[in-house]
Amino acid sequence: MTYQGGLHTELQHGPSGATVCTDAPVDNHGKGESFSPTDLMCSAMAGCMATIMGIYAEEHGVDITGFTITVSKVMNANPRRIARIETEITVPLPADTPHKEALIQCALGSPAMRSLHPDIEVPITWNWVG
């Protein structure tokens, strides 16, 4: 990570060299020109859920290509922290798929979900649309 000034950072992934930039959010002295660090945290949670669900799907020959996870972050003011990550997962499988419970458990048991502080609420809405 390199601090760029003006509340901007550039994060570089060592093995690949890929970079991600952050900016402080508008409600916390920034310009909101990029992901905030807490936005990245919520997005990483969604990416981790998707990865674990994808591993299960590939191992079981289930096509979940195109499924989506939408997150909406709710902040506490004092102390400033993530209070809630409202999550909506839309899966292109029917609600009666025999893989439903396993996919739900993959998301709930993902490493990022297990790493969240227990005070952070993560309500999840599931949409099965196959």
Side-chain angles (χ1 to χ4, degrees):
M1 190 285 303
T2 304
Y3 183 68
Q4 304 291 315
L7 307 180
H8 289 255
T9 69
E10 181 177 77
L11 311 164
Q12 184 175 33
H13 181 249
S16 69
T19 60
V20 175
C21 295
T22 69
D23 183 23
V26 174
D27 67 348
N28 198 29
H29 309 285
K31 296 179 183 175
E33 294 175 334
S34 189
F35 285 97
S36 73
T38 53
D39 291 341
L40 283 180
M41 186 177 146
C42 296
S43 298
M45 180 202 77
C48 189
M49 291 170 134
T51 300
I52 301 304
M53 290 172 67
I55 291 169
Y56 171 88
E58 287 186 7
E59 288 177 347
H60 293 87
V62 179
D63 185 8
I64 57 171
T65 301
F67 91 92
T68 62
I69 301 177
T70 303
V71 293
S72 179
K73 173 186 71 175
V74 177
M75 298 291 291
N76 264 3
N78 190 15
R80 188 162 175 83
R81 67 172 185 84
I82 299 170
R84 183 177 170 96
I85 307 170
E86 297 171 352
T87 306
E88 182 174 358
I89 302 176
T90 301
V91 184
L93 295 174
D96 63 353
T97 177
H99 301 282
K100 180 177 181 177
E101 188 57 34
L103 289 167
I104 290 171
Q105 291 309 310
C106 286
L108 297 177
S110 67
M113 280 289 289
R114 291 179 186 215
S115 299
L116 292 175
H117 191 281
D119 288 349
I120 299 175
E121 298 174 42
V122 187
I124 300 174
T125 300
W126 289 88
N127 301 310
W128 301 90
V129 295

PDB file of all heavy atoms in Angstrom, residues 49-75:
ATOM      1  N   MET A  49     -17.567 -15.058  -0.610  1.00  0.00           N
ATOM      2  CA  MET A  49     -18.765 -15.901  -0.674  1.00  0.00           C
ATOM      3  C   MET A  49     -18.889 -16.533  -2.059  1.00  0.00           C
ATOM      4  O   MET A  49     -19.124 -17.742  -2.192  1.00  0.00           O
ATOM      5  CB  MET A  49     -20.025 -15.070  -0.405  1.00  0.00           C
ATOM      6  CG  MET A  49     -20.188 -14.561   0.984  1.00  0.00           C
ATOM      7  SD  MET A  49     -21.572 -13.380   1.004  1.00  0.00           S
ATOM      8  CE  MET A  49     -22.449 -13.949   2.446  1.00  0.00           C
ATOM      9  N   ALA A  50     -18.729 -15.703  -3.088  1.00  0.00           N
ATOM     10  CA  ALA A  50     -18.867 -16.171  -4.465  1.00  0.00           C
ATOM     11  C   ALA A  50     -17.819 -17.231  -4.800  1.00  0.00           C
ATOM     12  O   ALA A  50     -18.119 -18.223  -5.477  1.00  0.00           O
ATOM     13  CB  ALA A  50     -18.756 -14.993  -5.433  1.00  0.00           C
ATOM     14  N   THR A  51     -16.607 -17.028  -4.330  1.00  0.00           N
ATOM     15  CA  THR A  51     -15.536 -17.984  -4.613  1.00  0.00           C
ATOM     16  C   THR A  51     -15.834 -19.344  -3.996  1.00  0.00           C
ATOM     17  O   THR A  51     -15.694 -20.382  -4.660  1.00  0.00           O
ATOM     18  CB  THR A  51     -14.191 -17.447  -4.093  1.00  0.00           C
ATOM     19  OG1 THR A  51     -13.906 -16.211  -4.757  1.00  0.00           O
ATOM     20  CG2 THR A  51     -13.065 -18.426  -4.327  1.00  0.00           C
ATOM     21  N   ILE A  52     -16.260 -19.353  -2.746  1.00  0.00           N
ATOM     22  CA  ILE A  52     -16.543 -20.625  -2.079  1.00  0.00           C
ATOM     23  C   ILE A  52     -17.753 -21.310  -2.717  1.00  0.00           C
ATOM     24  O   ILE A  52     -17.764 -22.530  -2.921  1.00  0.00           O
ATOM     25  CB  ILE A  52     -16.735 -20.425  -0.558  1.00  0.00           C
ATOM     26  CG1 ILE A  52     -15.480 -19.797   0.068  1.00  0.00           C
ATOM     27  CG2 ILE A  52     -17.088 -21.747   0.132  1.00  0.00           C
ATOM     28  CD1 ILE A  52     -14.192 -20.566  -0.163  1.00  0.00           C
ATOM     29  N   MET A  53     -18.774 -20.518  -3.072  1.00  0.00           N
ATOM     30  CA  MET A  53     -19.926 -21.088  -3.773  1.00  0.00           C
ATOM     31  C   MET A  53     -19.494 -21.634  -5.133  1.00  0.00           C
ATOM     32  O   MET A  53     -19.958 -22.697  -5.560  1.00  0.00           O
ATOM     33  CB  MET A  53     -21.019 -20.026  -3.935  1.00  0.00           C
ATOM     34  CG  MET A  53     -21.702 -19.644  -2.635  1.00  0.00           C
ATOM     35  SD  MET A  53     -22.812 -18.222  -2.810  1.00  0.00           S
ATOM     36  CE  MET A  53     -24.095 -18.920  -3.865  1.00  0.00           C
ATOM     37  N   GLY A  54     -18.604 -20.915  -5.820  1.00  0.00           N
ATOM     38  CA  GLY A  54     -18.108 -21.360  -7.120  1.00  0.00           C
ATOM     39  C   GLY A  54     -17.317 -22.655  -7.037  1.00  0.00           C
ATOM     40  O   GLY A  54     -17.430 -23.521  -7.910  1.00  0.00           O
ATOM     41  N   ILE A  55     -16.511 -22.781  -5.979  1.00  0.00           N
ATOM     42  CA  ILE A  55     -15.760 -24.027  -5.790  1.00  0.00           C
ATOM     43  C   ILE A  55     -16.726 -25.203  -5.629  1.00  0.00           C
ATOM     44  O   ILE A  55     -16.576 -26.244  -6.278  1.00  0.00           O
ATOM     45  CB  ILE A  55     -14.818 -23.920  -4.571  1.00  0.00           C
ATOM     46  CG1 ILE A  55     -13.676 -22.934  -4.872  1.00  0.00           C
ATOM     47  CG2 ILE A  55     -14.271 -25.295  -4.184  1.00  0.00           C
ATOM     48  CD1 ILE A  55     -12.851 -22.550  -3.655  1.00  0.00           C
ATOM     49  N   TYR A  56     -17.737 -25.015  -4.792  1.00  0.00           N
ATOM     50  CA  TYR A  56     -18.735 -26.079  -4.618  1.00  0.00           C
ATOM     51  C   TYR A  56     -19.413 -26.393  -5.958  1.00  0.00           C
ATOM     52  O   TYR A  56     -19.544 -27.565  -6.332  1.00  0.00           O
ATOM     53  CB  TYR A  56     -19.800 -25.671  -3.583  1.00  0.00           C
ATOM     54  CG  TYR A  56     -20.949 -26.648  -3.533  1.00  0.00           C
ATOM     55  CD1 TYR A  56     -20.891 -27.759  -2.703  1.00  0.00           C
ATOM     56  CD2 TYR A  56     -22.074 -26.489  -4.346  1.00  0.00           C
ATOM     57  CE1 TYR A  56     -21.922 -28.688  -2.682  1.00  0.00           C
ATOM     58  CE2 TYR A  56     -23.107 -27.410  -4.328  1.00  0.00           C
ATOM     59  CZ  TYR A  56     -23.027 -28.510  -3.505  1.00  0.00           C
ATOM     60  OH  TYR A  56     -24.042 -29.433  -3.499  1.00  0.00           O
ATOM     61  N   ALA A  57     -19.834 -25.353  -6.660  1.00  0.00           N
ATOM     62  CA  ALA A  57     -20.548 -25.561  -7.927  1.00  0.00           C
ATOM     63  C   ALA A  57     -19.684 -26.322  -8.932  1.00  0.00           C
ATOM     64  O   ALA A  57     -20.166 -27.257  -9.592  1.00  0.00           O
ATOM     65  CB  ALA A  57     -20.991 -24.219  -8.501  1.00  0.00           C
ATOM     66  N   GLU A  58     -18.415 -25.939  -9.053  1.00  0.00           N
ATOM     67  CA  GLU A  58     -17.532 -26.642  -9.996  1.00  0.00           C
ATOM     68  C   GLU A  58     -17.319 -28.092  -9.595  1.00  0.00           C
ATOM     69  O   GLU A  58     -17.295 -28.978 -10.444  1.00  0.00           O
ATOM     70  CB  GLU A  58     -16.205 -25.899 -10.111  1.00  0.00           C
ATOM     71  CG  GLU A  58     -16.327 -24.606 -10.894  1.00  0.00           C
ATOM     72  CD  GLU A  58     -14.996 -23.925 -11.156  1.00  0.00           C
ATOM     73  OE1 GLU A  58     -13.927 -24.513 -10.854  1.00  0.00           O
ATOM     74  OE2 GLU A  58     -15.031 -22.797 -11.674  1.00  0.00           O
ATOM     75  N   GLU A  59     -17.161 -28.335  -8.294  1.00  0.00           N
ATOM     76  CA  GLU A  59     -16.957 -29.713  -7.827  1.00  0.00           C
ATOM     77  C   GLU A  59     -18.181 -30.593  -8.041  1.00  0.00           C
ATOM     78  O   GLU A  59     -18.066 -31.809  -8.130  1.00  0.00           O
ATOM     79  CB  GLU A  59     -16.586 -29.719  -6.342  1.00  0.00           C
ATOM     80  CG  GLU A  59     -15.189 -29.203  -6.071  1.00  0.00           C
ATOM     81  CD  GLU A  59     -14.848 -29.131  -4.584  1.00  0.00           C
ATOM     82  OE1 GLU A  59     -15.774 -29.256  -3.731  1.00  0.00           O
ATOM     83  OE2 GLU A  59     -13.662 -28.929  -4.275  1.00  0.00           O
ATOM     84  N   HIS A  60     -19.369 -29.990  -8.114  1.00  0.00           N
ATOM     85  CA  HIS A  60     -20.607 -30.756  -8.242  1.00  0.00           C
ATOM     86  C   HIS A  60     -21.286 -30.600  -9.603  1.00  0.00           C
ATOM     87  O   HIS A  60     -22.427 -31.026  -9.782  1.00  0.00           O
ATOM     88  CB  HIS A  60     -21.571 -30.377  -7.103  1.00  0.00           C
ATOM     89  CG  HIS A  60     -21.071 -30.819  -5.777  1.00  0.00           C
ATOM     90  ND1 HIS A  60     -20.214 -30.059  -5.005  1.00  0.00           N
ATOM     91  CD2 HIS A  60     -21.275 -31.967  -5.090  1.00  0.00           C
ATOM     92  CE1 HIS A  60     -19.918 -30.718  -3.902  1.00  0.00           C
ATOM     93  NE2 HIS A  60     -20.546 -31.877  -3.924  1.00  0.00           N
ATOM     94  N   GLY A  61     -20.588 -29.983 -10.553  1.00  0.00           N
ATOM     95  CA  GLY A  61     -21.128 -29.839 -11.909  1.00  0.00           C
ATOM     96  C   GLY A  61     -22.370 -28.977 -11.985  1.00  0.00           C
ATOM     97  O   GLY A  61     -23.252 -29.229 -12.810  1.00  0.00           O
ATOM     98  N   VAL A  62     -22.454 -27.957 -11.136  1.00  0.00           N
ATOM     99  CA  VAL A  62     -23.609 -27.066 -11.096  1.00  0.00           C
ATOM    100  C   VAL A  62     -23.205 -25.733 -11.728  1.00  0.00           C
ATOM    101  O   VAL A  62     -22.191 -25.139 -11.338  1.00  0.00           O
ATOM    102  CB  VAL A  62     -24.078 -26.827  -9.640  1.00  0.00           C
ATOM    103  CG1 VAL A  62     -25.257 -25.877  -9.595  1.00  0.00           C
ATOM    104  CG2 VAL A  62     -24.410 -28.148  -8.970  1.00  0.00           C
ATOM    105  N   ASP A  63     -23.982 -25.271 -12.702  1.00  0.00           N
ATOM    106  CA  ASP A  63     -23.660 -24.009 -13.373  1.00  0.00           C
ATOM    107  C   ASP A  63     -24.351 -22.845 -12.664  1.00  0.00           C
ATOM    108  O   ASP A  63     -25.575 -22.723 -12.713  1.00  0.00           O
ATOM    109  CB  ASP A  63     -24.088 -24.058 -14.836  1.00  0.00           C
ATOM    110  CG  ASP A  63     -23.658 -22.825 -15.618  1.00  0.00           C
ATOM    111  OD1 ASP A  63     -22.894 -21.991 -15.082  1.00  0.00           O
ATOM    112  OD2 ASP A  63     -24.095 -22.691 -16.777  1.00  0.00           O
ATOM    113  N   ILE A  64     -23.560 -22.012 -12.006  1.00  0.00           N
ATOM    114  CA  ILE A  64     -24.098 -20.807 -11.362  1.00  0.00           C
ATOM    115  C   ILE A  64     -23.514 -19.544 -12.016  1.00  0.00           C
ATOM    116  O   ILE A  64     -23.533 -18.466 -11.430  1.00  0.00           O
ATOM    117  CB  ILE A  64     -23.861 -20.809  -9.836  1.00  0.00           C
ATOM    118  CG1 ILE A  64     -22.381 -20.932  -9.487  1.00  0.00           C
ATOM    119  CG2 ILE A  64     -24.688 -21.905  -9.174  1.00  0.00           C
ATOM    120  CD1 ILE A  64     -22.065 -20.728  -8.008  1.00  0.00           C
ATOM    121  N   THR A  65     -23.036 -19.707 -13.234  1.00  0.00           N
ATOM    122  CA  THR A  65     -22.470 -18.581 -13.960  1.00  0.00           C
ATOM    123  C   THR A  65     -23.466 -17.428 -14.003  1.00  0.00           C
ATOM    124  O   THR A  65     -24.645 -17.625 -14.287  1.00  0.00           O
ATOM    125  CB  THR A  65     -22.121 -18.996 -15.411  1.00  0.00           C
ATOM    126  OG1 THR A  65     -21.196 -20.079 -15.359  1.00  0.00           O
ATOM    127  CG2 THR A  65     -21.531 -17.832 -16.188  1.00  0.00           C
ATOM    128  N   GLY A  66     -22.980 -16.253 -13.708  1.00  0.00           N
ATOM    129  CA  GLY A  66     -23.825 -15.062 -13.754  1.00  0.00           C
ATOM    130  C   GLY A  66     -24.551 -14.753 -12.466  1.00  0.00           C
ATOM    131  O   GLY A  66     -25.271 -13.763 -12.392  1.00  0.00           O
ATOM    132  N   PHE A  67     -24.366 -15.568 -11.419  1.00  0.00           N
ATOM    133  CA  PHE A  67     -25.051 -15.224 -10.180  1.00  0.00           C
ATOM    134  C   PHE A  67     -24.463 -13.935  -9.627  1.00  0.00           C
ATOM    135  O   PHE A  67     -23.336 -13.568  -9.926  1.00  0.00           O
ATOM    136  CB  PHE A  67     -25.046 -16.384  -9.186  1.00  0.00           C
ATOM    137  CG  PHE A  67     -23.912 -16.446  -8.203  1.00  0.00           C
ATOM    138  CD1 PHE A  67     -24.025 -15.845  -6.959  1.00  0.00           C
ATOM    139  CD2 PHE A  67     -22.749 -17.124  -8.508  1.00  0.00           C
ATOM    140  CE1 PHE A  67     -22.991 -15.927  -6.038  1.00  0.00           C
ATOM    141  CE2 PHE A  67     -21.719 -17.210  -7.599  1.00  0.00           C
ATOM    142  CZ  PHE A  67     -21.831 -16.601  -6.360  1.00  0.00           C
ATOM    143  N   THR A  68     -25.256 -13.209  -8.864  1.00  0.00           N
ATOM    144  CA  THR A  68     -24.822 -11.901  -8.378  1.00  0.00           C
ATOM    145  C   THR A  68     -24.967 -11.791  -6.864  1.00  0.00           C
ATOM    146  O   THR A  68     -25.825 -12.447  -6.264  1.00  0.00           O
ATOM    147  CB  THR A  68     -25.628 -10.755  -9.024  1.00  0.00           C
ATOM    148  OG1 THR A  68     -27.008 -10.899  -8.670  1.00  0.00           O
ATOM    149  CG2 THR A  68     -25.477 -10.747 -10.538  1.00  0.00           C
ATOM    150  N   ILE A  69     -24.110 -10.955  -6.312  1.00  0.00           N
ATOM    151  CA  ILE A  69     -24.218 -10.585  -4.908  1.00  0.00           C
ATOM    152  C   ILE A  69     -24.152  -9.061  -4.856  1.00  0.00           C
ATOM    153  O   ILE A  69     -23.222  -8.453  -5.382  1.00  0.00           O
ATOM    154  CB  ILE A  69     -23.092 -11.186  -4.050  1.00  0.00           C
ATOM    155  CG1 ILE A  69     -23.099 -12.714  -4.124  1.00  0.00           C
ATOM    156  CG2 ILE A  69     -23.221 -10.705  -2.602  1.00  0.00           C
ATOM    157  CD1 ILE A  69     -21.979 -13.397  -3.353  1.00  0.00           C
ATOM    158  N   THR A  70     -25.145  -8.461  -4.257  1.00  0.00           N
ATOM    159  CA  THR A  70     -25.188  -7.012  -4.074  1.00  0.00           C
ATOM    160  C   THR A  70     -25.079  -6.733  -2.577  1.00  0.00           C
ATOM    161  O   THR A  70     -25.790  -7.347  -1.779  1.00  0.00           O
ATOM    162  CB  THR A  70     -26.512  -6.435  -4.611  1.00  0.00           C
ATOM    163  OG1 THR A  70     -26.648  -6.801  -5.982  1.00  0.00           O
ATOM    164  CG2 THR A  70     -26.543  -4.924  -4.481  1.00  0.00           C
ATOM    165  N   VAL A  71     -24.158  -5.839  -2.219  1.00  0.00           N
ATOM    166  CA  VAL A  71     -24.012  -5.479  -0.811  1.00  0.00           C
ATOM    167  C   VAL A  71     -24.258  -3.987  -0.635  1.00  0.00           C
ATOM    168  O   VAL A  71     -23.963  -3.181  -1.516  1.00  0.00           O
ATOM    169  CB  VAL A  71     -22.621  -5.855  -0.239  1.00  0.00           C
ATOM    170  CG1 VAL A  71     -22.447  -7.359  -0.196  1.00  0.00           C
ATOM    171  CG2 VAL A  71     -21.500  -5.206  -1.010  1.00  0.00           C
ATOM    172  N   SER A  72     -24.822  -3.645   0.499  1.00  0.00           N
ATOM    173  CA  SER A  72     -25.057  -2.258   0.868  1.00  0.00           C
ATOM    174  C   SER A  72     -24.579  -2.085   2.298  1.00  0.00           C
ATOM    175  O   SER A  72     -25.039  -2.786   3.200  1.00  0.00           O
ATOM    176  CB  SER A  72     -26.542  -1.919   0.747  1.00  0.00           C
ATOM    177  OG  SER A  72     -26.774  -0.586   1.133  1.00  0.00           O
ATOM    178  N   LYS A  73     -23.653  -1.169   2.483  1.00  0.00           N
ATOM    179  CA  LYS A  73     -23.004  -0.976   3.778  1.00  0.00           C
ATOM    180  C   LYS A  73     -23.734   0.080   4.589  1.00  0.00           C
ATOM    181  O   LYS A  73     -24.091   1.133   4.084  1.00  0.00           O
ATOM    182  CB  LYS A  73     -21.561  -0.550   3.507  1.00  0.00           C
ATOM    183  CG  LYS A  73     -20.754  -0.131   4.682  1.00  0.00           C
ATOM    184  CD  LYS A  73     -19.400   0.390   4.225  1.00  0.00           C
ATOM    185  CE  LYS A  73     -19.582   1.726   3.529  1.00  0.00           C
ATOM    186  NZ  LYS A  73     -18.347   2.362   3.147  1.00  0.00           N
ATOM    187  N   VAL A  74     -23.945  -0.214   5.873  1.00  0.00           N
ATOM    188  CA  VAL A  74     -24.525   0.749   6.803  1.00  0.00           C
ATOM    189  C   VAL A  74     -23.474   1.002   7.877  1.00  0.00           C
ATOM    190  O   VAL A  74     -23.007   0.064   8.532  1.00  0.00           O
ATOM    191  CB  VAL A  74     -25.829   0.217   7.436  1.00  0.00           C
ATOM    192  CG1 VAL A  74     -26.381   1.204   8.452  1.00  0.00           C
ATOM    193  CG2 VAL A  74     -26.861  -0.099   6.347  1.00  0.00           C
ATOM    194  N   MET A  75     -23.121   2.275   8.052  1.00  0.00           N
ATOM    195  CA  MET A  75     -22.084   2.643   9.009  1.00  0.00           C
ATOM    196  C   MET A  75     -22.693   3.126  10.323  1.00  0.00           C
ATOM    197  O   MET A  75     -23.762   3.738  10.333  1.00  0.00           O
ATOM    198  CB  MET A  75     -21.197   3.753   8.442  1.00  0.00           C
ATOM    199  CG  MET A  75     -20.433   3.386   7.186  1.00  0.00           C
ATOM    200  SD  MET A  75     -19.137   2.180   7.452  1.00  0.00           S
ATOM    201  CE  MET A  75     -17.954   3.136   8.404  1.00  0.00           C
TER     202      MET A  75
END
